Amino acid sequence: MAKKRYVVQYPEDVSMCAGCNSCEVVCALLHDGVVSPKQRRIFVERDTVMFMHKIHTCRQCGVCYNKCPKKDTALCVDENGIYYINRDECIGCGLCVKACPFTPKRIQMDSSEPKPKAIKCDLCRTRPEGPACMEFCQVKCLGFSDEPVPEPEVKKRGGLF
């Protein structure tokens, strides 16, 4: 099995993301031929105060895969360890979405079809050039990492503030 790779935002400590949506647009366009937030597999979380935008995409952790009742048919893993969805086999149960441990969820239901199907980042696994989000990022803030970047812990403040 090849070494697992992950799409990450870098540098991790400072946002270089311009919030332009190019990654979201090209993702939906490449996978579904439309530009729609419901078709994206990468999410830009915009900070309208400090403009420190964050990019979220699937961490390829496999939690969704283990919860899928049609594992290896609808939610599959390829020879490179990339988890992907075979939409023809997806039954739309949503268990994969519920299982995703991240916020925002990195897998979502595509409600543009008569029966919703799950969609998630597959690192553009069939695209020879690699992930389109990386190629079309205007400021080149997306790259590959051999290690998943851990999600920052959200600290809840007590009291009134």
Side-chain angles (χ1 to χ4, degrees):
M1 183 182 283
K3 192 173 210 174
K4 244 185 186 181
R5 309 290 309 270
Y6 307 88
V7 171
V8 297
Q9 178 179 356
Y10 64 86
E12 297 166 35
D13 54 342
V14 177
S15 176
M16 303 270 303
C17 176
C20 69
N21 287 58
S22 291
C23 56
E24 294 177 340
V25 169
V26 74
C27 176
L29 200 54
L30 176 80
H31 283 89
D32 298 304
V34 297
V35 176
S36 168
K38 294 182 184 219
Q39 308 310 121
R40 66 187 178 179
R41 289 138 176 94
I42 187 168
F43 310 91
V44 178
E45 180 183 336
R46 286 165 195 76
D47 177 348
T48 57
V49 176
M50 299 297 291
F51 296 100
M52 296 291 286
H53 312 299
K54 291 185 179 130
I55 300 167
H56 303 288
T57 190
C58 180
R59 296 289 183 218
Q60 302 294 327
C61 68
V63 173
C64 58
Y65 172 77
N66 291 320
K67 294 293 182 180
C68 180
K70 293 191 74 182
K71 181 172 28 175
D72 295 322
T73 306
L75 217 159
C76 308
V77 60
D78 73 7
E79 65 278 358
N80 294 315
I82 298 170
Y83 295 97
Y84 68 97
I85 295 170
N86 177 352
R87 287 170 71 166
D88 291 336
E89 295 293 331
C90 179
I91 59 173
C93 67
L95 292 175
C96 54
V97 177
K98 290 177 187 168
C100 181
F102 300 105
T103 303
K105 299 289 186 183
R106 309 306 161 85
I107 187 167
Q108 62 182 1
M109 299 306 288
D110 171 11
S111 57
S112 69
E113 297 186 29
K115 182 165 183 169
K117 305 279 184 162
I119 58 173
K120 68 178 274 321
C121 174
D122 62 3
L123 298 174
C124 295
R125 59 186 274 282
T126 59
R127 189 172 183 263
E129 302 89 349
C133 59
M134 286 174 45
E135 181 181 344
F136 291 93
C137 177
Q138 302 292 316
V139 293
K140 303 299 180 203
C141 72
L142 294 173
F144 266 136
S145 172
D146 293 332
E147 296 294 324
V149 177
E151 293 294 309
E153 288 186 36
V154 177
K155 296 183 179 177
K156 295 183 180 181
R157 294 170 55 163
L160 299 174
F161 301 101

